[in-house]
Amino acid sequence: MTQTPLQTEAGSADPAAAASRCTPEFRANPHPVYAELRKTAPVCPMRPPHGVETFLITRYDDARAALADPRLSKDMYGALDAYHRIFGDSSIALDDNMLFSDPPKHTRLRRIVQGAFTTRRVELLRPRLQQVAEELLDRCPTDASIDLLTNFAFPLPLQVICELLGVPEGERERAHQWATTVAKTGFGPEGKKALAEAEGKLRDFLVDLVARKRSTPGDDLMSALIAAQDQDGALTDHELVSTAWVLFFAGHKTSAYLIGNAVYHLLSKPDQQRAALASPESLKLAIEEMLRFEGSVESSTFRHATEDIPMRGVVIPKGALVQIAITAANRDPEVYAEPDRLDVARTGGQAHLSFGHGPHYCIGAPLARLEMQIALTTLFRRYPEVTLAVPPQEVRWLTVPFPAFRGLTELPVVLDPERIAD
């Protein structure tokens, strides 16, 4: 890929602004850096730790357009050289799915699974989600500090997506651990080795699960996908395993971080907590604001330019990788008044981009919203006095080598402070 000098409306970018995106300080609070990039380098070329030149898009209007631009391909088979340099040779085996494909293939793959995630179908999961939330909180100790991520925010969506896919209960935790390795590995030789090992185990696990479901179908999404293979244009075996992987991975990681981020900010801002929980309608509005304010997807997955693309005085060259900084776009002051203020009663402005936009809009958005709704209402109903166990500034955020998720490493809380006092 060619090194393209950056010339924007505001002049040349400060390379340090983009480079700082990989520091611990940035991970704790990325928003000032993104604000600077929106002003001085809204389309910013940089060389992240993986060594492949990537253009970062930070303004809302540009981000929204890029997410739906057919010239920015999601098909990583079309950029295999860059893909292998970033992830090594193993990852492509699990990426033959709708997340990493373009129409018409993307349209076909999405159509096969989207029926399971309509708002109507997802609403049918409400009783089971409520039951799981209650059971998880039943098991949480109230006389000591706990990590709410480990005890509640992660197990809730993990159990739901595993039940949807028909993953046996005794096999869920190891699959979760392999997925965690995939999410947190670095780009050096050791990171690529760990990634290859974890993805190999996940692939073998899913291949075996498919074989078992084919032999003994159940009332689950995996069995339904296998049944759909008999139809024209349905999933190949490779696509089936890869689709199961993306549904499992995205179906719990993003929701867990969303729940954690929301609880953290509501506990840090009691006035916003009271306003958010005032009524079911106020909570729905608050959830959209919390998705905007601190969503769990910081940057989009990679796209690559299929032709030279001019944008804000910069030419993104054909073959270059592109990422959209969702977190930056969602705090664009051109779209949102006082964007760095959490306002759970916020109305107006355009829709946030936390679930994307265009053909790749998150298929699981209705489920994620329902999981957030049930998690927040159940937690604060049962433990209205729940508090952070540490000062807000001491809570730690993910420190991955290149931002993808925005979330906490842990969320220490005390469910019932009076029991601690006693």
Side-chain angles (χ1 to χ4, degrees), residues 30 74 102 183 354 363:
K74 292 294 296 291
D102 299 324
S354 294
I363 200 170

Side-chain angles (χ1 to χ4, degrees), residues 121 237 260 269 285 339 356 378-379 395:
R121 290 291 296 274
D237 282 353
K269 305 168 181 66
L285 195 63
T378 307
L379 174 67
V395 171

